[in-house]
Amino acid sequence: MHGLVLSAVQVFTKDLYGPVRWARVMDRAGMGEREFEPMFFYSKAVGHRVLEELSVELNMPLDDILEDIGTYLVSRPNMEPVRRLLRFGGVTFDDFLHSLDDLPGRAKLAVPDLLLPEIRLREHSVQRFSLTCRGDFPGFGHVLVGILRTMADDYGALALVNHGGSGAGTEIVSIELLEPRFAQGRDFQLRAMVP
């Protein structure tokens, strides 16, 4: 598992729940270190162990934690580069949805050795979509649910986003776009603001 993924879990936990709770997670997971190196690789077993212990520490289902991580990745000021990467997907939420097939490739441009699951969008109607995630990253669909709900708000769209189930290395996320222009979206400019 890429260290960048585990570092995101670490930053999320320390930022929202504190370094003491993160230290307990790492201790119970049997990790000698308290920090993950973003550019290292770790075994899948390490990643699963840390996530399981995080679920125990927070007394929350892992699916809910993964969804919260997705929300965190695109809503916090310290994670603005992730939001910016996603906003390059289009001017509207609908455009953004249609750009998700390219997300693993865009992530690879930023971090060449980061392998995200394959994502495929299917348009059932003007308002109804589903995303299929395939790959060796169980729970990524839940991360996407958090990301998509937050990005809908970011674009000012009203959307229902739910995890539709998983099996055989595949997860489904359902999206119902109720109102594309429901509210004023957050400001976004192609060029980052320089102080």
Side-chain angles (χ1 to χ4, degrees):
M1 183 174 281
H2 201 291
L4 194 59
V5 173
L6 293 171
S7 289
V9 174
Q10 171 185 303
V11 170
F12 160 82
T13 306
K14 288 173 78 174
D15 193 19
L16 297 186
Y17 298 99
V20 172
R21 296 189 87 175
W22 176 251
R24 285 199 299 251
V25 167
M26 293 296 273
D27 288 345
R28 281 203 311 265
M31 303 299 296
E33 302 288 328
R34 295 277 166 91
E35 307 282 324
F36 286 109
E37 289 294 329
M39 300 317 284
F40 285 8
F41 283 89
Y42 298 87
S43 72
K44 284 185 264 181
V46 165
H48 293 301
R49 202 163 58 241
V50 168
L51 288 171
E52 286 170 7
E53 292 302 337
L54 182 58
S55 178
V56 170
E57 175 65 30
L58 300 181
N59 192 27
M60 287 175 63
L62 182 55
D63 294 348
D64 292 349
I65 293 170
L66 293 171
E67 191 175 307
D68 287 350
I69 290 171
T71 300
Y72 178 88
L73 288 173
V74 292
S75 65
R76 302 295 282 212
N78 59 325
M79 294 290 156
E80 183 65 16
V82 178
R83 174 186 173 252
R84 288 189 60 75
L85 178 70
L86 293 173
R87 281 299 297 256
F88 278 110
V91 175
T92 66
F93 186 65
D94 184 66
D95 292 340
F96 166 73
L97 289 176
H98 283 90
S99 77
L100 288 173
D101 291 356
D102 301 327
L103 181 60
R106 279 188 279 147
K108 206 165 180 57
L109 286 173
V111 183
D113 51 1
L114 178 63
L115 297 175
L116 292 181
E118 174 189 341
I119 301 171
R120 289 286 169 244
L121 180 74
R122 184 169 174 215
E123 187 171 352
H124 304 282
S125 72
V126 176
Q127 291 183 301
R128 289 183 52 247
F129 306 86
S130 61
L131 276 177
T132 303
C133 310
R134 286 190 181 89
D136 197 20
F137 196 134
F140 187 71
H142 291 285
V143 175
L144 269 179
V145 167
I147 288 172
L148 291 172
R149 285 180 179 163
T150 307
M151 291 305 292
D153 289 345
D154 203 86
Y155 278 98
L158 178 62
L160 295 176
V161 181
N162 292 297
H163 194 276
S166 59
T170 300
E171 293 180 74
I172 304 294
V173 175
S174 64
I175 304 136
E176 189 172 355
L177 183 53
L178 301 175
E179 180 58 57
R181 291 177 185 83
F182 181 71
Q184 179 72 32
R186 280 180 63 196
D187 188 43
F188 177 73
Q189 297 177 357
L190 289 176
R191 181 172 66 84
M193 299 303 285
V194 180

